[in-house]
Amino acid sequence: MTENQPVAITISREVGSGGAYLGQRLAARLGFAYLDREILREAARRFDLTEETLAHRSETVTPLWLSLLESCRFGATAVSYVPPPLSTPSDGEFFQAESEVISRVAGERSVVVIGRCGYHVLRDHPRLLSIFLHGGVKYRSKRIQDLYHLSEQESLQMIENSDRERVRYHRAKTGNNAVEARLFHLCLDTSTIGLETTEEVICLCLRERFGVEVPPYCAGPETSATT
């Protein structure tokens, strides 16, 4: 292993804990590639589908009844017959395509990967720093309300749905518990130490472990794309 080899940062997170925000900041600060929506875009291209077609499948598990329905959808009668849609990838095929994109890019250059079980996909990467970000519900709810202009009730529902779905997704794809601390190198509570300190802790680890040169901290605004 040499200091010239790419570094991979994977960020798993609870919604509203600042994972995408910190991922974008780290990528820009360090000059790393940033992989989030780009993974979906490349996977969609492989299946000759639009991003919108697959967006709802990202980091979710398709229910069995829906998988069966999509695989054998026909019109009810000859008069109302509608040709079945072009086949869409199974959950396994979609996950495999996303994993291949992550592995390819991480093998070519330093990268920040958001979600999609990146810690598991890149578990054999020689210069991996895997991170799990979490936070108190009140903190996460407040961030979601501010970023997406939602009510408190809507933000709490979003948190409940997202947390439940991510547990199912990780269990289905890796057999792991999505919030198991031993799966990650760093587990940080952003609601306790704040986003700025979280960023600096991650940068300190990169300097100490891999000798990464880290530019000085520079504050920046949050947007609805950086939860």
Side-chain angles (χ1 to χ4, degrees):
M1 182 175 70
T2 70
E3 292 188 1
N4 294 325
Q5 286 183 297
V7 171
I9 303 171
T10 63
I11 299 180
S12 299
R13 76 289 188 215
E14 293 180 326
V15 68
S17 63
Y21 169 72
L22 287 170
Q24 290 178 24
R25 283 190 53 84
L26 287 166
R29 184 175 178 181
L30 301 170
F32 288 12
Y34 177 78
L35 289 184
D36 186 356
R37 185 82 183 189
E38 294 77 6
I39 303 171
L40 175 64
R41 185 175 302 122
E42 179 62 27
R45 192 176 297 121
R46 291 189 180 200
F47 294 111
D48 196 25
L49 297 169
T50 65
E51 290 179 54
E52 290 70 23
T53 301
L54 292 177
H56 72 285
R57 302 273 297 278
S58 189
E59 295 191 270
T60 63
V61 178
T62 303
L64 177 59
W65 67 266
L66 185 55
S67 297
L68 294 173
L69 180 63
E70 289 182 344
S71 66
C72 57
R73 187 182 298 161
F74 294 94
T77 67
V79 174
S80 61
Y81 171 76
V82 177
L86 294 175
S87 61
T88 57
S90 67
D91 282 348
E93 291 170 332
F94 184 36
F95 179 70
Q96 180 63 30
E98 289 196 316
S99 297
E100 289 174 359
V101 174
I102 292 170
S103 296
R104 175 179 57 78
V105 176
E108 296 172 349
R109 61 171 301 183
S110 294
V111 64
V112 178
V113 179
I114 303 298
R116 295 171 175 81
C117 301
Y119 72 93
H120 179 79
V121 174
L122 298 178
R123 61 192 181 280
D124 295 324
H125 192 287
R127 281 157 62 89
L128 171 67
L129 180 65
S130 58
I131 301 162
F132 176 62
L133 301 180
H134 59 101
V137 170
K138 289 182 64 175
Y139 171 82
R140 294 160 60 200
S141 173
K142 181 63 165 59
R143 288 191 73 247
I144 290 170
Q145 290 175 59
D146 292 343
L147 290 168
Y148 292 100
H149 309 293
L150 299 177
S151 67
E152 180 179 9
Q153 182 178 357
E154 289 171 330
S155 69
L156 292 174
Q157 188 64 58
M158 180 177 175
I159 288 172
E160 180 181 347
N161 292 343
S162 176
D163 287 355
R164 180 178 61 249
E165 191 55 46
R166 278 186 174 142
V167 168
R168 293 181 64 234
Y169 176 77
H170 281 254
R171 181 73 69 187
K173 302 310 177 190
T174 71
N176 295 325
N177 184 339
V179 296
E180 172 58 62
R182 289 176 293 184
L183 296 172
F184 307 96
H185 298 124
L186 283 178
C187 293
L188 299 168
D189 182 346
T190 58
S191 66
T192 299
I193 66 176
L195 295 175
E196 180 177 344
T197 300
T198 298
E199 183 177 332
E200 292 307 300
V201 169
I202 294 170
C203 288
L204 175 62
C205 287
L206 291 170
R207 280 194 296 262
E208 294 298 316
R209 289 194 66 198
F210 306 126
V212 175
E213 294 185 10
V214 180
Y217 178 87
C218 180
E222 287 193 69
T223 70
S224 60
T226 55
T227 53

